């Protein structure tokens, strides 16, 4: 029988969770992992650890599954930190497996190659969940718990540091069911009824959709059309409703041409968004005082913008109940719908005027690329100025930024 080690265990965990690719940088402190993934699945080598995590992040966003990055200890793990913060901000489902020096030497400050002081604390700061493999026998449970945390809503990246001697240690490897995220809280029916009362009292509603709405696009569209509500989005929420829909204003809340509509609106329904500073004029944007907030994270409700009613739960669970209670409701009329559609046109015209001939790039890309093409945008002036707004997105998983 072939002896197995930590690399074979990682391969099995990846297989169990439908992952066929890992990205990383080869090191003496992760060689068993890299060798096994290269042999049995696909290992994509990159030149820098941040690139490994960014690639795993993009893989997770585009596939809707789990991305895996493998880095070295010390400087290697430190190099990954910025990309981990990006994944944490975006709530990306990433498993970051990093090496560590031999377990007998941990915390002694001997100057072992690639050693760094208190790497575990650094990983805790840049990850939703972090853990250290302390023995060969617990490696499997540590990995699977990290995957489970990454998948649990609100999702985010997990880091596991794995001492090199424990990577080489013999493992008993067997398949297991795919990990499932923790069950989100159930929706409170009384809160749904309270939200319905608030919504029915409105005449000029707006939706603001963030990353928490991307898995329920059809339901979001149904709610918008029922209420004749304009759809604002964060950058993360783009494509929840295709951006060629006439009610989708998009990622333009801070555009000057959107200000009159925001001032006139008498209700905001936010869906899985945290009102980030760069999308709210550093929290100075004037939003409707009457606010119904939907978020899977109870701590998010009212944190940035006060909420009259908070609905805690996954969007896919909340919206069907809300729509059922709202059946037959008439809120926004044709006049409000017309103002929404005219604002949609006005914010785009304003940005087109500002960027001049760059608008031709947007037009050419959209005319050439199919709707399902993944569009990846770095933090650049063109991306921040028009790629994150004017370049239309039709499906959430094509929106990688």
């Amino acid at each position: 029988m072939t002896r197995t080690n930590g690399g074979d265990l990682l391969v099995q965990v990846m297989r169990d969770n439908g992952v066929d690719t890992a990205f990383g940088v080869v090191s003496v402190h992760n060689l068993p992992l890299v060798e096994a993934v290269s042999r049995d699945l696909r290992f994509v080598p990159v030149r820098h650890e941040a690139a490994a995590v960014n690639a795993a992040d993009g893989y997770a966003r585009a596939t809707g599954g789990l991305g895996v990055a493998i880095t070295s200890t010390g400087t290697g793990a430190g190099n990954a930190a910025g990309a981990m913060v990006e994944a944490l901000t975006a709530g990306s489902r990433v498993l970051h497996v990093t090496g560590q020096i031999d377990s007998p030497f941990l915390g002694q400050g001997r100057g072992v190659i690639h050693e760094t002081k208190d790497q575990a604390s650094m990983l805790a700061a840049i990850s939703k969940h972090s853990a250290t493999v302390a023995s060969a026998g617990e490696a499997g449970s540590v990995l699977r718990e990290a995957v489970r945390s990454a998948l649990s809503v609100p999702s985010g990246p997990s880091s596991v540091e794995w001492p090199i001697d424990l990577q080489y240690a013999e493992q008993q490897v067997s398949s297991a069911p795919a990990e499932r995220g923790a069950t989100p809280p159930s929706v409170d029916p009384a809160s749904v009824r309270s939200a319905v009362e608030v919504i029915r009292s409105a005449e000029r509603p707006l939706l603001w959709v963030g990353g928490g709405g991307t898995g329920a696009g059809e339901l979001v569209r149904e709610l918008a059309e029922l209420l004749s509500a304009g759809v604002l989005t964060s950058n993360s929420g783009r494509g929840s409703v295709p951006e060629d829909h006439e009610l989708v204003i998009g990622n333009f809340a801070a555009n000057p041409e959107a200000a009159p509509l925001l001032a006139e609106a008498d209700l905001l329904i936010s869906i899985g968004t945290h009102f980030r500073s760069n999308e709210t004029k550093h929290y100075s944007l004037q939003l409707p005082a009457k606010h119904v907030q939907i978020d899977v994270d109870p701590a998010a409700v009212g944190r940035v913008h006060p909420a009259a009613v908070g609905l805690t739960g996954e969007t896919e669970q909340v919206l069907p109940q809300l729509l059922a209670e709202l059946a037959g409701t008439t809120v926004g009329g044709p006049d409000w719908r017309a103002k929404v559609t005219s604002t949609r046109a006005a914010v785009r015209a304003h940005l087109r005027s500002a960027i001049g001939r760059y608008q031709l790039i947007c037009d050419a890309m959209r005319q050439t690329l199919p709707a399902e093409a993944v569009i990846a945008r770095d933090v650049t002036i063109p991306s921040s100025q028009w790629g994150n707004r004017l370049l239309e997105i039709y499906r959430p998983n094509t929106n990688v930024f």
Side-chain angles (χ1 to χ4, degrees), residues 15 48 61-62 118 125 139 150 173 213 226 229 232 245 259-260 266 277 284 301-302 324 329 337 348 383 396:
R15 280 177 168 159
H48 193 278
R61 298 194 209 188
D118 199 7
V173 177
L226 176 68
L232 297 164
H245 192 291
D266 62 357
S277 60
S284 67
V301 176
T329 297
R337 189 182 185 105
R348 284 161 174 76
S383 178

Short mmCIF file of all heavy atoms in Angstrom, two decimals, residues 15 48 61-62 118 125 139 150 173 213 226 229 232 245 259-260 266 277 284 301-302 324 329 337 348 383 396:
data_model
loop_
_atom_site.label_atom_id
_atom_site.label_comp_id
_atom_site.label_asym_id
_atom_site.label_seq_id
_atom_site.Cartn_x
_atom_site.Cartn_y
_atom_site.Cartn_z
N ARG A 15 -11.14 17.14 -3.54
CA ARG A 15 -12.04 16.31 -4.35
C ARG A 15 -13.43 16.24 -3.72
O ARG A 15 -14.45 16.35 -4.42
CB ARG A 15 -11.46 14.92 -4.50
CG ARG A 15 -10.38 14.79 -5.56
CD ARG A 15 -9.82 13.40 -5.59
NE ARG A 15 -8.99 13.17 -6.78
CZ ARG A 15 -8.07 12.24 -6.87
NH1 ARG A 15 -7.86 11.40 -5.84
NH2 ARG A 15 -7.37 12.10 -7.98
N HIS A 48 3.97 35.02 -7.28
CA HIS A 48 3.85 35.74 -6.02
C HIS A 48 2.64 35.21 -5.27
O HIS A 48 1.61 34.87 -5.88
CB HIS A 48 3.69 37.24 -6.30
CG HIS A 48 3.86 38.12 -5.10
ND1 HIS A 48 2.84 38.35 -4.19
CD2 HIS A 48 4.93 38.84 -4.65
CE1 HIS A 48 3.27 39.17 -3.24
NE2 HIS A 48 4.53 39.48 -3.50
N ARG A 61 -15.21 33.03 -7.20
CA ARG A 61 -16.29 33.91 -7.67
C ARG A 61 -16.88 33.42 -8.99
O ARG A 61 -18.10 33.45 -9.18
CB ARG A 61 -15.76 35.33 -7.84
CG ARG A 61 -15.25 35.96 -6.55
CD ARG A 61 -15.07 37.45 -6.74
NE ARG A 61 -14.02 37.98 -5.87
CZ ARG A 61 -13.77 39.27 -5.71
NH1 ARG A 61 -14.49 40.16 -6.35
NH2 ARG A 61 -12.79 39.68 -4.92
N ALA A 62 -16.00 32.99 -9.90
CA ALA A 62 -16.49 32.60 -11.23
C ALA A 62 -17.20 31.26 -11.22
O ALA A 62 -18.13 31.04 -12.00
CB ALA A 62 -15.32 32.57 -12.22
N ASP A 118 4.74 34.89 15.47
CA ASP A 118 3.29 34.84 15.68
C ASP A 118 2.51 34.92 14.37
O ASP A 118 1.63 35.76 14.20
CB ASP A 118 2.87 35.98 16.62
CG ASP A 118 1.49 35.73 17.24
OD1 ASP A 118 0.94 34.63 17.05
OD2 ASP A 118 0.97 36.64 17.89
N ALA A 125 -5.99 37.91 11.60
CA ALA A 125 -6.38 39.27 11.25
C ALA A 125 -6.86 39.40 9.81
O ALA A 125 -7.64 40.29 9.49
CB ALA A 125 -5.22 40.23 11.50
N ALA A 139 -5.30 16.92 11.33
CA ALA A 139 -5.18 17.71 10.10
C ALA A 139 -6.47 17.67 9.29
O ALA A 139 -6.92 18.69 8.76
CB ALA A 139 -4.00 17.21 9.27
N ALA A 150 -15.48 28.74 5.43
CA ALA A 150 -15.42 29.54 4.20
C ALA A 150 -16.76 29.54 3.47
O ALA A 150 -17.15 30.55 2.87
CB ALA A 150 -14.32 29.03 3.29
N VAL A 173 -6.32 8.42 4.83
CA VAL A 173 -7.12 9.26 3.94
C VAL A 173 -8.35 8.50 3.47
O VAL A 173 -8.24 7.39 2.96
CB VAL A 173 -6.28 9.72 2.72
CG1 VAL A 173 -7.14 10.54 1.75
CG2 VAL A 173 -5.08 10.53 3.20
N GLY A 213 -27.21 39.69 -2.43
CA GLY A 213 -28.36 39.49 -3.32
C GLY A 213 -28.03 38.74 -4.59
O GLY A 213 -28.92 38.45 -5.39
N LEU A 226 -42.49 44.40 -8.92
CA LEU A 226 -43.72 44.51 -8.15
C LEU A 226 -43.89 45.91 -7.59
O LEU A 226 -44.99 46.47 -7.58
CB LEU A 226 -43.72 43.48 -7.02
CG LEU A 226 -44.89 43.52 -6.04
CD1 LEU A 226 -46.18 43.09 -6.76
CD2 LEU A 226 -44.63 42.64 -4.84
N ALA A 229 -39.60 49.68 -8.24
CA ALA A 229 -38.50 50.25 -7.47
C ALA A 229 -37.23 50.33 -8.30
O ALA A 229 -36.88 49.37 -8.99
CB ALA A 229 -38.24 49.41 -6.22
N LEU A 232 -30.51 50.22 -7.14
CA LEU A 232 -29.12 50.62 -6.96
C LEU A 232 -28.34 49.38 -6.54
O LEU A 232 -28.90 48.46 -5.94
CB LEU A 232 -29.00 51.68 -5.87
CG LEU A 232 -29.70 53.01 -6.14
CD1 LEU A 232 -29.83 53.80 -4.84
CD2 LEU A 232 -28.96 53.82 -7.19
N HIS A 245 -31.71 45.94 -17.67
CA HIS A 245 -33.09 46.08 -17.22
C HIS A 245 -33.38 47.55 -16.95
O HIS A 245 -32.57 48.25 -16.35
CB HIS A 245 -33.32 45.25 -15.96
CG HIS A 245 -34.75 45.08 -15.57
ND1 HIS A 245 -35.53 46.12 -15.10
CD2 HIS A 245 -35.57 43.98 -15.59
CE1 HIS A 245 -36.75 45.67 -14.83
NE2 HIS A 245 -36.80 44.37 -15.12
N ALA A 259 -28.82 62.01 -7.17
CA ALA A 259 -29.19 62.71 -5.94
C ALA A 259 -30.67 63.09 -5.89
O ALA A 259 -31.32 62.91 -4.85
CB ALA A 259 -28.30 63.93 -5.75
N PRO A 260 -31.27 63.63 -6.97
CA PRO A 260 -32.69 63.99 -6.88
C PRO A 260 -33.60 62.79 -6.61
O PRO A 260 -34.57 62.90 -5.85
CB PRO A 260 -32.98 64.60 -8.26
CG PRO A 260 -31.65 65.08 -8.75
CD PRO A 260 -30.66 64.08 -8.24
N ASP A 266 -38.93 57.54 -0.64
CA ASP A 266 -39.42 57.49 0.74
C ASP A 266 -39.22 56.12 1.38
O ASP A 266 -39.68 55.89 2.50
CB ASP A 266 -40.89 57.90 0.81
CG ASP A 266 -41.81 56.98 0.04
OD1 ASP A 266 -41.32 56.03 -0.62
OD2 ASP A 266 -43.05 57.19 0.07
N SER A 277 -17.86 52.76 2.36
CA SER A 277 -17.57 54.19 2.37
C SER A 277 -17.42 54.78 0.97
O SER A 277 -17.89 55.89 0.70
CB SER A 277 -16.31 54.46 3.19
OG SER A 277 -15.19 53.78 2.63
N SER A 284 -21.64 60.08 3.76
CA SER A 284 -22.37 61.35 3.76
C SER A 284 -23.54 61.33 2.79
O SER A 284 -24.32 62.29 2.74
CB SER A 284 -21.42 62.50 3.39
OG SER A 284 -21.00 62.39 2.03
N VAL A 301 -27.29 44.68 10.61
CA VAL A 301 -28.55 45.42 10.57
C VAL A 301 -28.42 46.71 11.38
O VAL A 301 -28.15 46.70 12.58
CB VAL A 301 -29.72 44.56 11.11
CG1 VAL A 301 -31.00 45.39 11.17
CG2 VAL A 301 -29.91 43.33 10.23
N GLY A 302 -28.58 47.84 10.69
CA GLY A 302 -28.51 49.14 11.32
C GLY A 302 -27.11 49.62 11.64
O GLY A 302 -26.94 50.69 12.22
N ALA A 324 -44.56 36.80 -1.00
CA ALA A 324 -45.87 36.19 -0.74
C ALA A 324 -46.77 37.14 0.04
O ALA A 324 -47.97 37.26 -0.26
CB ALA A 324 -45.67 34.88 0.03
N THR A 329 -49.84 43.93 -3.95
CA THR A 329 -49.52 45.27 -3.45
C THR A 329 -49.14 46.20 -4.60
O THR A 329 -48.43 45.81 -5.53
CB THR A 329 -48.34 45.20 -2.46
OG1 THR A 329 -48.74 44.42 -1.33
CG2 THR A 329 -47.92 46.59 -1.99
N ARG A 337 -41.84 55.10 -11.66
CA ARG A 337 -41.08 54.25 -12.58
C ARG A 337 -40.41 55.10 -13.65
O ARG A 337 -39.25 54.86 -14.02
CB ARG A 337 -41.99 53.20 -13.21
CG ARG A 337 -41.25 52.13 -14.01
CD ARG A 337 -42.23 51.14 -14.64
NE ARG A 337 -41.53 50.06 -15.31
CZ ARG A 337 -41.42 48.82 -14.85
NH1 ARG A 337 -41.97 48.51 -13.68
NH2 ARG A 337 -40.77 47.90 -15.53
N ARG A 348 -25.79 57.50 -16.51
CA ARG A 348 -24.91 56.98 -17.55
C ARG A 348 -24.44 58.08 -18.49
O ARG A 348 -23.27 58.12 -18.89
CB ARG A 348 -25.62 55.86 -18.31
CG ARG A 348 -25.66 54.55 -17.52
CD ARG A 348 -26.72 53.57 -18.00
NE ARG A 348 -26.59 52.31 -17.27
CZ ARG A 348 -26.98 52.12 -16.02
NH1 ARG A 348 -27.53 53.13 -15.34
NH2 ARG A 348 -26.82 50.95 -15.42
N SER A 383 -10.84 51.18 -14.30
CA SER A 383 -11.80 50.31 -13.62
C SER A 383 -12.63 51.10 -12.62
O SER A 383 -13.86 51.00 -12.59
CB SER A 383 -11.08 49.18 -12.92
OG SER A 383 -11.99 48.35 -12.22
N PRO A 396 -23.97 37.88 -12.04
CA PRO A 396 -23.06 38.21 -10.93
C PRO A 396 -21.72 37.51 -10.99
O PRO A 396 -20.69 38.08 -10.62
CB PRO A 396 -23.84 37.77 -9.69
CG PRO A 396 -25.26 37.68 -10.11
CD PRO A 396 -25.26 37.36 -11.57
#
